[in-house]
Amino acid sequence: MVMKIRTLIYNIGIGAVLTTGLTACGSDWLDVSPSDGVPADGALKNSATLESARVGLYKALKGTSDMSDYYGRNMFVYGEVRGEDMQHSIYGSNRADFYYKMEYSTANDFSRANSVWQSPYVVVSRANRIIEANNLSDASSNAATINRIKAEARVLRALAIFDVTRVYGKPYLQDNGASWGAALSTQTLNPAAKVKRSTVAECYTFVENELKAVIASGALSTEKTEGYVNQWFAKGLLSRVYLTKGDYANALTLAKDVIDNSPYQLWTRDQYVHAWYKDDAAHGNEMLFEIAVTGFNDWNDREGYPYLVTEDTDKGPSGYGDMVITKAFSDALLSDANDIRNNIVAAPTSQKVVDANTFLGRKVYLRKFIGSTTQTDPRYSNVPLMRLSEVYLNAAEAAFKLGNTTDAATYLNAIISHRTTSATTVTASSITADRIYMERRKELVGEGHRYFDALRRGETITRYTNATNQGWHQVLNADVQSFNTWTFKKELPLIPSMELNGNDIQQNLLHF
């Protein structure tokens, strides 16, 4: 099916490619212009202008306008509250309510404000301009820098296409990639251009080939580079892609490479809680890639995810308190009193919440986005897109799927031993898929993985089934209390109506 989505991709690519000054109060995404006033056409003439475009590319990862519609907020919220480990709280601003309740239909579809659609294509378009920049005046003298920036752009373009595919397309293993995925745009478009919405399989092929080519080129840095992608993140991302696709052999190979050869190491049990402060000495040990926030000029302010998950306290640095862990997940954490991850959630301090005893005195507010030791305002927090813990868990799951329970136990025990006591470790004969999945949930809670993990495995998500196990969940419609991800009528979100008006984009109608 041919789709006239050129308005979105073309306008973003031409009108916003060099925008480097987006803030929480920025202009509408279709109206922005280059901050340096240079026309986008022909602006990339040397490594200096390429570096300017690089800054704009990384800013687009947060999202456009109020910087909330991608990794600034919505990608994490979508991945968490559609699952069963985090939920929307009655004490908050309702910014997570839409995803949590899933009260939408074909008549009331996914609005642009709530979608993860617009900004991934901003990333794709800006990346395309960087990748296409040829005949630069200092191409010979600054070849390594230019090649590195272009390689980074290819990685982020692959990430954006992968994200759109896994949000809007069925999981690969459900139908072997036959369903509609993302619209592949691999070059800057002219106003008359038309592109197809490619299949999930076609999108995976593109993402895999891009990442393999970039890794093989050797153009990416192999050093720890806060705020920028490097060779190790590219390999970790490819491991994530292979795991999502069900290619367990390649997922394990890439994960082992990162584990064995990268400069990263797992936080120890003693480091774990304090390492979430971005200026802690151990913080960078696990962070393969995180969005770096240096201050109010590049933070997401009150629209950002860190502010969303932080308690709305009576005084001191606080947030909206929109999201909390569920009672069922709290029970899972508390089942092992020695697990240090019990200490990255905090009990309510607001008197109205304490008095209501809604959370039964439990720790419910996530403490992974806590800024620095000198500036504890959550808005100063870096936002992690990949930690080494995920790579270990990828390796454990992939090895288990391949029947290699010895290696699976080794990789899982690395996580367990760094979070709790050796009494809870597993052996090659005792390890189970459920234990791997639960450790993944405990380790990565709040980092945007849960719904995507359940979706790729075709799991049933159960928030509650009756008043006895409802915990502090709100009253939900019956269809979203418990559902199998592959048969659920709202398995996939709807493409924003603003993109459908006047276009021929195929909607995710599914079972409506």
Side-chain angles (χ1 to χ4, degrees):
M1 177 173 289
V2 175
M3 304 180 305
K4 294 177 286 188
I5 63 171
R6 62 184 183 279
T7 301
L8 170 68
I9 297 176
Y10 174 75
N11 283 344
I12 294 174
I14 298 300
V17 69
L18 286 181
T19 303
T20 60
L22 288 174
T23 69
C25 299
S27 302
D28 183 82
W29 65 283
L30 284 176
D31 297 327
V32 292
S33 58
S35 61
D36 58 7
V38 179
D41 275 335
L44 302 182
K45 299 178 179 179
N46 51 40
S47 60
T49 54
L50 201 67
E51 177 62 41
S52 177
R54 179 195 189 211
V55 173
L57 173 63
Y58 278 91
K59 283 184 176 291
L61 280 175
K62 300 175 185 177
T64 57
S65 187
D66 64 8
M67 298 203 296
S68 67
D69 64 335
Y70 198 13
Y71 282 107
R73 185 181 78 205
N74 285 2
M75 193 71 180
F76 293 101
V77 178
Y78 180 84
E80 291 298 334
V81 299
R82 283 176 67 95
E84 71 276 60
D85 296 339
M86 295 196 75
Q87 66 171 85
H88 183 263
S89 171
I90 61 172
Y91 306 103
S93 63
N94 294 323
R95 282 169 170 77
D97 188 68
F98 183 87
Y99 298 88
Y100 172 59
K101 291 184 176 179
M102 292 184 270
E103 292 177 341
Y104 51 86
S105 66
T106 52
N108 173 31
D109 67 12
F110 230 47
S111 68
R112 173 171 289 165
N114 289 309
S115 68
V116 180
W117 173 270
Q118 166 187 312
S119 285
Y121 283 116
V122 177
V123 171
V124 169
S125 295
R126 293 184 183 184
N128 286 341
R129 290 299 301 263
I130 291 173
I131 295 163
E132 293 170 359
N134 296 315
N135 301 316
L136 302 179
S137 62
D138 56 348
S140 297
S141 58
N142 286 312
T145 297
I146 291 169
N147 290 338
R148 175 175 48 77
I149 293 174
K150 288 190 174 188
E152 290 176 19
R154 292 178 71 179
V155 172
L156 294 182
R157 181 175 67 178
L159 172 65
I161 293 296
F162 175 59
D163 284 342
V164 174
T165 301
R166 63 187 180 134
V167 170
Y168 291 98
K170 290 182 181 180
Y172 191 95
L173 291 175
Q174 185 175 355
D175 62 0
N176 292 315
S179 63
W180 291 109
L184 281 176
S185 173
T186 59
Q187 60 185 8
T188 302
L189 303 178
N190 63 56
K194 296 180 181 180
V195 298
K196 289 183 178 181
R197 187 179 176 192
S198 300
T199 66
V200 167
E202 290 169 337
C203 292
Y204 270 85
T205 296
F206 170 77
V207 170
E208 292 169 40
N209 289 341
E210 275 292 277
L211 292 175
K212 287 192 293 186
V214 171
I215 291 167
S217 74
L220 290 168
S221 172
T222 57
E223 304 297 320
K224 293 181 180 180
T225 51
E226 183 186 77
Y228 296 98
V229 302
N230 61 14
Q231 182 86 331
W232 306 112
F233 172 73
K235 291 181 177 182
L237 178 58
L238 187 52
S239 174
R240 181 190 290 177
V241 171
Y242 282 133
L243 188 71
T244 307
K245 184 183 178 184
D247 184 344
Y248 303 116
N250 278 317
L252 179 58
T253 296
L254 270 296
K256 288 177 66 174
D257 188 357
V258 175
I259 291 166
D260 294 341
N261 300 310
S262 78
Y264 300 94
Q265 55 189 297
L266 292 174
W267 292 332
T268 67
R269 186 180 185 281
D270 290 340
Q271 291 171 336
Y272 188 77
V273 175
H274 205 265
W276 286 102
Y277 287 108
K278 67 181 184 181
D279 59 343
D280 182 82
H283 178 81
N285 290 355
E286 279 218 15
M287 296 293 178
L288 271 69
F289 178 44
E290 60 182 335
I291 295 175
V293 174
T294 59
F296 62 85
N297 287 321
D298 63 0
W299 67 6
N300 285 38
D301 201 8
R302 291 174 174 84
E303 295 301 324
Y305 185 65
Y307 205 81
L308 197 72
V309 298
T310 303
E311 182 192 8
D312 182 9
T313 59
D314 293 329
K315 57 183 178 180
S318 66
Y320 286 131
D322 267 25
M323 291 170 59
V324 293
I325 66 170
T326 63
K327 182 180 181 298
F329 188 73
S330 173
D331 290 343
L333 282 179
L334 292 172
S335 67
D336 180 0
N338 294 311
D339 194 326
I340 196 65
R341 290 170 296 202
N342 282 294
N343 294 334
I344 51 90
V345 281
T349 60
S350 172
Q351 201 59 49
K352 65 181 180 182
V353 182
V354 173
D355 290 346
N357 198 31
T358 303
F359 304 124
L360 310 178
R362 299 280 190 96
K363 297 178 178 181
V364 294
Y365 291 104
L366 198 63
R367 294 284 293 159
K368 288 185 173 182
F369 305 93
I370 50 180
S372 68
T373 55
T374 58
Q375 180 50 269
T376 56
D377 188 321
R379 292 175 293 179
Y380 286 92
S381 300
N382 287 356
V383 181
L385 271 67
M386 180 174 289
R387 292 192 293 122
L388 186 62
S389 294
E390 178 195 342
V391 180
Y392 270 89
L393 290 160
N394 290 354
E397 183 174 344
F400 185 85
K401 291 288 189 179
L402 293 168
N404 185 349
T405 56
T406 299
D407 281 357
T410 298
Y411 291 120
L412 189 64
N413 283 336
I415 296 293
I416 295 171
S417 64
H418 283 74
R419 303 295 177 254
T420 183
T421 64
S422 59
T424 62
T425 55
V426 298
T427 64
S429 60
S430 69
I431 190 171
T432 63
D434 285 345
R435 181 63 190 278
I436 295 171
Y437 300 162
M438 180 51 72
E439 286 301 326
R440 188 177 182 94
R441 290 166 63 181
K442 288 182 178 181
E443 181 63 27
L444 300 179
V445 63
E447 297 177 58
H449 292 273
R450 177 55 194 151
Y451 183 70
F452 294 113
D453 285 338
L455 185 63
R456 66 180 170 82
R457 293 191 291 250
E459 292 181 2
T460 293
I461 287 174
T462 300
R463 273 95 168 260
Y464 65 90
T465 57
N466 53 54
T468 302
N469 60 22
Q470 183 173 346
W472 40 82
H473 275 291
Q474 298 176 40
V475 176
L476 298 172
N477 292 333
D479 65 329
V480 299
Q481 292 175 18
S482 181
F483 53 89
N484 178 269
T485 54
W486 284 11
T487 60
F488 183 39
K489 68 179 182 180
K490 297 174 182 176
E491 172 188 10
L492 307 178
L494 300 172
I495 291 174
S497 58
M498 294 182 70
E499 301 305 334
L500 298 176
N501 296 335
N503 293 321
D504 297 323
I505 300 174
Q506 181 157 331
Q507 182 58 282
N508 286 330
L509 297 179
L510 292 178
H511 305 293
F512 288 106

